[in-house]
Every structure is written in C-alpha cells, then in structure tokens.
Amino acid sequence: MPRWLRFLVCVLVCVVFVLPLVAMVVVAFTPRDLILDGGAGLWPSRWTTDNVTGLFDRFPVWQWFRNALLVASLTTVLSVSVNLAAGFALAKLRFRGRGLVFLLVLSTLMVPVQAIMVPQFELVARMGLIGLFWAVVLPSASTALGVFLARQFFLSVPDELLDAARMDGCTYWSAFRRVVLPLSRPLIAVMALLAFMTQWNDFLWPLITLRDPDLYTLPVALSFLQGQYDADYGGLMAMALFSCVPLLIVFVVLQRFFVAGFSRSGIR
C-alpha cells in the first residue's frame, strides 16, 4: 500500500473517532434555542456557556464527580490487586486443578452481565450493602478478562527469576512483590485503565444499588437531564463532556504502557 494511501486511511479513521467528540463540544456550547431549531450544525452562529454554568448551578455536579472518582478508584485498586494475585497463582504456582480453575474463569466471559444481575443483587442485599458504595465496588473486585491478561503476562516471566529469588530466601509473596511486580508496569497500566474506564462508565448497576441521589455517579446523574417529554441536550452534552475528561487524562498518563501491556499479555 502506498504511503500516501496509508496516511489517508489513518486520517479518515481519526476523523471517524474524533467527530463525535467535536459534536459533543459543539452542542455543549450551543444555545438551547439553536439546538431545538436545528441550527446547531458543525459551527453554530452563536456560542454560549449557559449550558455548562447552568448545569453546575442546578445540580451537585462536583459531588457526583467525587462519587464517581471514589467508586472508580476503589474498584481499580481492588480489581488490579485481585487480578494480579490470581493471574500469578494460575501462571506460576503448581496445584491440582489449575487448568480447570482457569477454564472456569474464562467461561464466565460467555455469561451476560444481565443474566447474573438478579442473584448478584440478592447477594449484595443480604450483605446489607444496598445504598452503599461497596455495593458497586465489591462485585467488580475481579474480572475474568483481568485474570486472563495477568496470567498470560506472567507466563512470559522466566521461571529462573523466581527460582533465583527462592534460592535467596524469598517466599512466593516476596518474590511476587520484589521481582514480578516491577516487571509488570505495562500490565498494571492496562488493567488499571480498563477497570477505571469500565467502572466510570457503568450506569445500570449503580442505578440499581445506589438509592440515594446524593451517592449517584456521573453516568447515573445524566438521567436527571432527560425528562419524559423533553431533554436538555446542551446540559447532557456538557455533562458527558465533563465526564470524559478523567478518562482522557488517565489514558494520556498510561498510554506509553498501554500497547506494551496488551502485546505482552497475549492480545493481538
């Protein structure tokens, strides 16, 4: 393929991915009357910040932002920790039924989330967690995809390193902490980004378990801007744009580890 054609394809792909973000920005700063009259376009005749300022005046946006950040951060830390430990055990520890355990973990990827939502809600309710942030955090403490990525990554770590650490007197835990974890930065970056992004964008489960509006996260709070007969499209786009900022920051910070983590985890 000629170089100019590859460049053209890359430009077209970038336009396809960037255009929704541009449309979000345009609608967020377009006056309400222009939106309702269909006069927003790609470059509206008038711009306004009323959608953004009105959003913060009418709703506790910062509180919802803190809730979302707290839930996503707790879930990320817990999920990465559990998935790393499980992946290391399945990759490096020898025990009976290891292959069967890994097969069972992978089989959960074929089960739709909606199929387990009712028993999961009943379990959380019996634990007395309904209405608490832990009702959202604990069910996401481990994921099959995270365990798979961790196991595939740790399989690429030479056993000789662990053997040398054991000969120096390290236990499995200290070898994992001192030898394996420093080599796992790309993997941790990928798992952290996936966990944070998934939890940050989650809508249905927080809506079911967090009954107090003061505990809502940003995706759930978006429902306040859409009524039965009308919707504040400018406010919706402003809220959506505001909720995208943390994801962009996290991706920019971790992007240099992202490709390396996937390539070394067996995902092509």
Side-chain angles (χ1 to χ4, degrees):
M1 182 183 294
R3 185 174 180 179
W4 66 267
L5 185 57
R6 285 183 293 176
F7 179 77
L8 180 61
V9 171
C10 291
V11 171
L12 292 177
V13 172
C14 291
V15 169
V16 170
F17 280 95
V18 172
L19 190 58
L21 183 60
V22 174
M24 186 190 308
V25 174
V26 169
V27 176
F29 292 96
T30 299
R32 179 179 175 85
D33 57 335
L34 287 182
I35 297 176
L36 297 178
D37 292 339
L42 292 178
W43 193 265
S45 57
R46 289 185 289 117
W47 296 81
T48 183
T49 58
D50 292 343
N51 296 326
V52 179
T53 57
L55 188 69
F56 285 86
D57 292 338
R58 289 181 294 161
F59 302 104
V61 178
W62 285 114
Q63 182 175 350
W64 292 335
F65 179 84
R66 289 192 297 268
N67 295 341
L69 186 61
L70 176 62
V71 170
S73 300
L74 288 175
T75 302
T76 300
V77 173
L78 189 60
S79 176
V80 171
S81 302
V82 174
N83 291 337
L84 284 174
F88 179 77
L90 292 173
K92 295 302 181 182
L93 301 186
R94 301 290 186 265
F95 57 91
R96 182 178 299 179
R98 183 180 65 168
L100 178 61
V101 172
F102 182 61
L103 182 62
L104 291 176
V105 171
L106 286 184
S107 64
T108 61
L109 290 172
M110 297 181 291
V111 180
V113 178
Q114 293 78 8
I116 63 173
M117 191 165 290
V118 173
Q120 184 173 274
F121 179 84
E122 183 178 356
L123 178 62
V124 172
R126 289 185 177 182
M127 296 174 64
L129 299 178
I130 298 298
L132 303 176
F133 286 142
W134 290 112
V136 182
V137 174
L138 291 181
S140 303
S142 181
T143 61
L145 178 60
V147 174
F148 171 75
L149 290 176
R151 177 186 179 272
Q152 297 304 108
F153 184 92
F154 291 140
L155 286 176
S156 65
V157 177
D159 293 335
E160 291 76 10
L161 288 176
L162 297 178
D163 294 338
R166 295 298 305 277
M167 292 180 63
D168 289 338
C170 291
T171 62
Y172 275 114
W173 165 246
S174 59
F176 172 71
R177 181 169 54 88
R178 297 180 180 181
V179 178
V180 178
L181 280 185
L183 300 175
S184 307
R185 292 179 182 177
L187 171 66
I188 295 174
V190 171
M191 295 172 62
L193 180 60
L194 293 178
F196 188 89
M197 181 178 63
T198 301
Q199 189 60 64
W200 184 270
N201 292 327
D202 193 13
F203 168 77
L204 185 57
W205 186 248
L207 178 65
I208 296 174
T209 56
L210 299 178
R211 298 177 175 177
D212 187 356
D214 292 334
L215 299 179
Y216 281 171
T217 57
L218 281 178
V220 180
L222 284 170
S223 59
F224 282 93
L225 301 176
Q226 186 169 357
Q228 184 175 3
Y229 303 105
D230 190 16
D232 183 7
Y233 296 106
L236 279 171
M237 292 299 103
M239 179 80 83
L241 183 62
F242 183 69
S243 65
C244 288
V245 173
L247 297 181
L248 293 176
I249 294 175
V250 171
F251 181 77
V252 170
V253 172
L254 301 179
Q255 64 174 339
R256 65 191 185 98
F257 300 107
F258 194 70
V259 176
F262 266 121
S263 61
R264 294 187 59 185
S265 301
I267 303 296
R268 299 291 190 268

